[in-house]
Amino acid sequence: MDIFQRLTDLSTILPNKELNSRLEILLTDFLVCARAGSSSADIESVGARLAINSNYHDSDDIDWSVMTHPGSIIWSALIDSLIHHPENSERFTLSAYAGYRTSATSAQFFGVDHRRKWHITTTAGTLAATSTACAYRNLSPTMHKTALENAASNMGGIAIADRRTGAAIFNRAAATSLGLLSATSDQPSANDIWEGERGLKELFSIAGENTNTYDGISTTGLRLFPYSGFIQSQVLAITQIANELTGDLVRIELGLHPATVELLNGSVGGNYWNFKAGAASAWQVKDVTQYVEASPEIMQKISASAIDIPISGAQVSITTTTGTKTLRIEVAPGNDFGSHNEQGWRIAKWKRLVGNDYIAAEEFARSLMSDCADTKAISALQTFLLS
């Protein structure tokens, strides 16, 4: 069955309590990030503005299984749809399911070669925004499929849009806007878009081999700490060792994925994109929820090598005058929403970004996920996010 046919069949979406709970946390995180990044930018599109704002602090959610940031696009498209069509608020949760499913399934279908050349958050995100908006508008499967074909025929976002310079922020807005436009336009789509030398598979280096369907919710987690997502495991390991090991620091040896070593070498984007600066901060502050300016003296004691480890992981070996400890973390924190530690880190993140306003974000998320938000609640949400 064609991937788009599978994604337009909303009857195969089976909501459950666990995934609903995860979605509520993912939505709260989005609302916090969007409010924290709120600006006075003169952007008329609600969806595009929210997509930009929610990524402003580089803290939006992440699906490590495919290296996408789905929430900043899906929730932006959905809240745009909610504001313009409040009468469909009972379809809010279903639409979020459709968006996350399309994001993960498309990204897996596109494959690794595609991700090397294209910004997967943008390409899979364009389709996710389209499915989100189509589901919210209750479009027929035929109309939904046409919208996906139109979106796929026009999606883009090359990988050279360097996240370290902030260039990838615009990509999220573009993906959200194209998805919304595709869902609201009744124009015919191109035919036979996949095969041939001018087809999507050739042009976008799409493998098309993984034809499984993924819910996308269970694999999406949060970026919890005030550091680049690529070094979340690194700073967690360092702070854990720092609280166990006494004595003066002699050296910190890092084992990181080759892409992390290359990307976070500090040549672009300042210390946020420097794994040595992140490591030094973690050692100095000994609290994974905090960031401090890295000491040059500490940075000189840090070395790194590329090793065989998941891109979200890190191996850390620290030597002090009293001994050496090594810790390897292969799965970045942020996906275990029930963990006591992660609950605390989550609240710390939200407070860091918006103070006690995170409580209002939680209340808005709870209301929206109940599928019965009225015009008063929606208006209050718009004020919370955009005023």
Side-chain angles (χ1 to χ4, degrees), residues 22 62 217-222 224 331-338 342:
R22 290 186 68 86
I62 184 167
I217 301 167
S218 55
T219 50
T220 299
L222 306 182
L224 295 168
V331 179
N335 193 265
D336 186 358
F337 291 1
E342 292 200 9

Side-chain angles (χ1 to χ4, degrees), residues 239-291:
T239 55
Q240 287 186 352
I241 294 175
N243 282 290
E244 298 172 2
L245 201 59
T246 59
D248 297 327
L249 179 66
V250 175
R251 63 180 174 272
I252 297 176
E253 298 170 291
L254 306 172
L256 305 171
H257 188 276
T260 303
V261 175
E262 179 182 359
L263 191 65
L264 274 74
N265 60 19
S267 61
V268 179
N271 277 349
Y272 182 82
W273 296 100
N274 186 336
F275 62 79
K276 286 188 177 182
S281 168
W283 173 260
Q284 291 166 228
V285 76
K286 296 178 175 51
D287 179 350
V288 78
T289 69
Q290 302 294 320
Y291 177 86

Side-chain angles (χ1 to χ4, degrees), residues 22-84:
R22 290 186 68 86
L23 275 177
E24 187 174 311
I25 292 171
L26 290 170
L27 175 54
T28 301
D29 190 73
F30 167 82
L31 296 176
V32 167
C33 290
R35 181 168 174 83
S38 182
S39 69
S40 58
D42 187 18
I43 301 174
E44 292 187 5
S45 167
V46 170
R49 187 172 169 187
L50 289 175
I52 289 174
N53 290 353
S54 61
N55 181 239
Y56 183 79
H57 292 286
D58 193 41
S59 297
D60 48 337
D61 67 14
I62 184 167
D63 184 343
W64 282 111
S65 69
V66 283
M67 291 293 293
T68 59
H69 302 284
S72 55
I73 296 172
I74 293 167
W75 296 118
S76 296
L78 184 47
I79 291 175
D80 183 295
S81 300
L82 176 76
I83 289 171
H84 289 98

Side-chain angles (χ1 to χ4, degrees), residues 76-156:
S76 296
L78 184 47
I79 291 175
D80 183 295
S81 300
L82 176 76
I83 289 171
H84 289 98
H85 297 281
E87 68 277 7
N88 285 359
S89 64
E90 75 279 356
R91 300 185 63 81
F92 188 91
T93 300
L94 176 66
S95 302
Y97 271 87
Y100 274 95
R101 181 176 74 167
T102 294
S103 176
T105 302
S106 299
Q108 293 282 4
F109 182 77
F110 288 172
V112 175
D113 285 344
H114 171 84
R115 296 202 293 271
R116 290 195 182 103
K117 298 178 180 179
W118 297 91
H119 185 225
I120 187 66
T121 293
T122 308
T123 52
T126 294
L127 301 181
T130 303
S131 278
T132 300
C134 287
Y136 188 82
R137 286 163 174 75
N138 198 22
L139 299 188
S140 69
T142 299
M143 296 172 70
H144 189 161
K145 186 171 185 290
T146 297
L148 285 170
E149 289 170 341
N150 271 328
S153 299
N154 290 275
M155 66 185 179

